[in-house]
Amino acid sequence: MTGPAGGTAVLRADVAVVGGGPAGMEAALWCARAGLAVVVLDEHEDLGGQYFRRRHPAIRAVHGDHRPEGTALAEAVRASGARVLTRHVVWGVDGRALLAHDEEGDRALRVEAGHVVVATGAYERVLPFPGWELPGVVTPGLAMHLATMDRVAVGSRVLLAGSGPFLLPVACALLEVGARVVAVVEAGRPYRPGGPGVRGGVEALRHPARLAELGGYLARLARHRVPVLQDRVVAEAVGGARVARVRTVRTCGGGDREFEVDALAVGYGFRPATELVRLLGARTVVDPRTGDVVIAAGDDGATSVPGLYAVGELAGVAGVHAARLRGRLAAMSITAAAAGETRADGRERERLRRRLRRLVAFASLTGRLYPPPVEMVDTLPDEVHVCRCEAVPAGRVRAIARTGLNDVHAVKGGSRAGMGLCQARECGTALWRLAGASGSTAPLPARMPVRPVPTGVVADMDRSGPADPAGPEQV
Ligand SMILES: Cc1cc2nc3c(=O)[nH]c(=O)nc-3n(C[C@H](O)[C@H](O)[C@H](O)COP(=O)(O)OP(=O)(O)OC[C@H]3O[C@@H](n4cnc5c(N)ncnc54)[C@H](O)[C@@H]3O)c2cc1C
């Protein structure tokens, strides 16, 4: 890889937003409309993030714009005066400054801002199983992306498996592009009377709109005679050049059931992408069951570090509406602080907070109804790769964990699991669980670079002071 072409540019702004998804766009829009100098950085070619990602113009010309409200939001951000830097990867931090790589110009960039809003979204949770590396085994997010963005079915006979309500819209999207969904295999028991328990059922009734949405998906699957099987997980995928068969078992073992497929989409919900906020020093807690890092933040995303906000899925996986509200609330606090006010405008803020709290309450209910079956990892055969990037089998991680290197950092270093291209974004939960067998409860560390970056860019950042002869640039 080559080094940067033109040295390090320094950019100064009132507000820097990392991530141009629903949350980041809301934060940028409302800060810019209030007259603040705003810069938004996103690694993709366009604003949108996961939910509002735009279709290719050729697909749009035939099938239309599938999320026009996202297009309108992106256009509003661009019209607001916010400086939008797409194809800019934020790979690290230096004190409060953000270190970025402009992929198009191959340029190193240092962004210094009074307020930093991190809106980096979430990753899909992947749990390994025998055969998970076969071609045709994908995550539900990828199957959804191909179906909705590109109008392509990931296979003609697809099994959807894992846990979480996201499996249902993915199954419906696959039906829409002509795939046969052979079954939806859910690890929990959320749809069975008595599954969530009386308390869960009553709690669910407080969210009629969300329940209607889930009911709509289930009704559509029933019309297409797609079985929704609960309390069941994937035990193994078998095939040659591509996955051909999937064996599923009951969560407690036994009750084998096989499916002939040419694609398997499997995922266990989402986990927040917290690396940058952690590098910036925000206080966090660890979920003792999954090893997920949870950022301690208010409704407006304010973290323990003054001027640092964590918004969107990063602040708690609760869906697109909550992500937007969090971005908007952060903007309210930032603009109030910039104007020297101690409180953001009262009534509207309270209304948005109430809406957010309802959505967060529903997300917390779904979290309880669809717990990811992380215990699966405990019985993973030794020969199965946990880390695909570095080809590290489960047995090696277990062996290192038993040697007395009893924290996850050391197990990572000793086994090389989680040290490859994805930096444990895929194997993180499994690695933490296997290493945790030795008693460790510390989370996987957040390390720079959080994304792959040309070595020349890093070397350039090591030099003290801005290398750009023109000096710092103002948004
Ligand atoms: C793979 C996947 C598919 C999903 N599909 C759906 C769906 O179909 N329907 C649905 O309701 N929900 C979906 N979700 C959930 C969805 O992410 C949210 O509801 C919503 O998009 C969250 O908005 P956000 O702004 O918090 O994050 P996102 O929309 O994820 O936006 C975050 C943005 O930050 C960028 N980013 C992250 N790190 C960096 C960095 N270091 N440097 C520069 N840019 C960075 C990302 O590329 C992304 O553009 C999906 C989630 C994932 C992970």
Side-chain angles (χ1 to χ4, degrees):
M1 280 192 267
T2 59
T8 303
V10 177
L11 191 59
R12 298 228 165 98
D14 296 321
V15 185
V17 180
V18 187
M25 285 198 286
E26 286 284 349
L29 174 67
W30 293 97
C31 286
R33 279 189 176 167
L36 298 176
V38 178
V39 60
V40 191
L41 302 110
D42 193 285
E43 60 196 334
H44 287 109
E45 298 205 342
D46 206 349
L47 291 173
Q50 293 295 350
Y51 188 79
F52 286 148
R53 188 157 302 166
R54 300 209 67 204
R55 281 179 170 161
H56 187 276
I59 305 285
R60 258 196 335 261
V62 180
H63 298 284
D65 185 348
H66 72 313
R67 302 233 158 98
E69 72 273 35
T71 307
L73 181 56
E75 279 166 6
V77 172
R78 289 188 184 276
S80 69
R83 184 159 173 187
V84 176
L85 300 178
T86 49
R87 295 202 57 194
H88 278 67
V89 178
V90 178
W91 59 269
V93 305
D94 178 16
R96 265 300 278 275
L98 301 169
L99 307 179
H101 176 221
D102 165 6
E103 292 189 317
E104 201 164 311
D106 194 19
R107 191 173 74 130
L109 186 66
R110 178 185 172 93
V111 180
E112 296 170 359
H115 295 90
V116 175
V117 180
V118 184
T120 44
Y123 308 123
E124 285 183 277
R125 188 189 309 283
V126 175
L127 297 175
F129 55 87
W132 74 301
E133 292 170 283
L134 278 171
V137 178
V138 300
T139 61
L142 179 63
M144 184 69 152
H145 180 92
L146 291 173
T148 55
M149 303 289 299
D150 302 332
R151 304 290 297 171
V152 170
V154 70
S156 54
R157 293 173 57 85
V158 187
L159 179 71
L160 268 161
S163 63
F166 186 52
L167 298 181
L168 303 182
V170 179
C172 291
L174 282 167
L175 292 173
E176 209 176 302
V177 289
R180 179 162 168 227
V181 178
V182 297
V184 174
V185 169
E186 164 61 54
R189 295 196 302 173
Y191 315 118
R192 188 180 300 166
V198 176
R199 202 162 149 246
V202 171
E203 228 177 303
L205 293 174
R206 290 195 202 121
H207 308 277
R210 302 273 80 81
L211 279 186
E213 194 182 332
L214 285 181
Y217 294 134
L218 286 167
R220 185 129 168 244
L221 295 179
R223 275 200 305 280
H224 285 265
R225 299 185 191 289
V226 176
V228 177
L229 309 171
Q230 303 180 80
D231 222 350
R232 185 166 280 280
V233 290
V234 170
E236 69 174 333
V238 182
R242 193 179 172 87
V243 59
R245 226 171 51 248
V246 179
R247 185 167 64 83
T248 67
V249 292
R250 285 194 210 291
T251 315
C252 56
D256 287 25
R257 193 155 166 187
E258 291 201 352
F259 297 89
E260 308 263 316
V261 299
D262 60 4
L264 163 65
V266 55
Y268 297 88
F270 300 99
R271 52 193 200 105
T274 56
E275 301 92 326
L276 277 177
V277 194
R278 291 165 66 194
L279 287 171
L280 286 163
R283 196 164 62 76
T284 58
V285 289
V286 182
D287 179 327
R289 207 174 153 262
T290 58
D292 291 354
V293 174
V294 181
I295 308 291
D299 289 341
D300 62 354
T303 67
S304 57
V305 177
L308 173 64
Y309 294 78
V311 299
E313 300 284 68
L314 157 67
V317 174
V320 62
H321 303 299
R324 290 184 74 165
L325 285 169
R326 284 186 161 125
R328 176 98 189 259
L329 283 163
M332 281 183 162
S333 294
I334 292 168
T335 51
E341 294 161 16
T342 47
R343 274 177 59 93
D345 51 351
R347 258 206 217 146
E348 177 65 354
R349 187 174 194 235
E350 276 318 304
R351 191 181 67 80
L352 298 180
R353 283 177 68 180
R354 276 199 303 277
R355 274 186 62 202
L356 175 63
R357 283 178 182 179
R358 273 200 302 279
L359 293 168
V360 169
F362 185 71
S364 136
L365 175 63
T366 55
R368 279 177 278 134
L369 293 183
Y370 303 85
V374 288
E375 324 67 53
M376 272 173 66
V377 175
D378 303 347
T379 52
L380 193 64
D382 273 349
E383 66 279 8
V384 176
H385 284 161
V386 173
C387 168
R388 289 200 282 211
C389 301
E390 296 287 308
V392 184
R396 173 142 181 82
V397 178
R398 287 191 180 109
I400 300 278
R402 276 196 299 263
T403 58
L405 293 173
N406 60 352
D407 80 19
V408 71
H409 305 237
V411 172
K412 186 178 165 191
S415 66
R416 292 202 59 78
M419 293 179 79
L421 191 66
C422 89
Q423 287 288 294
R425 282 191 284 277
E426 287 218 355
C427 63
T429 304
L431 174 58
W432 183 84
R433 180 89 192 177
L434 288 175
S438 61
S440 167
T441 49
L444 277 156
R447 293 249 166 86
M448 290 197 278
V450 302
R451 290 281 197 277
V453 63
T455 46
V457 170
V458 182
D460 199 59
M461 287 291 179
D462 282 345
R463 284 189 239 142
S464 57
D468 187 347
E473 202 181 325
Q474 207 74 30
V475 168

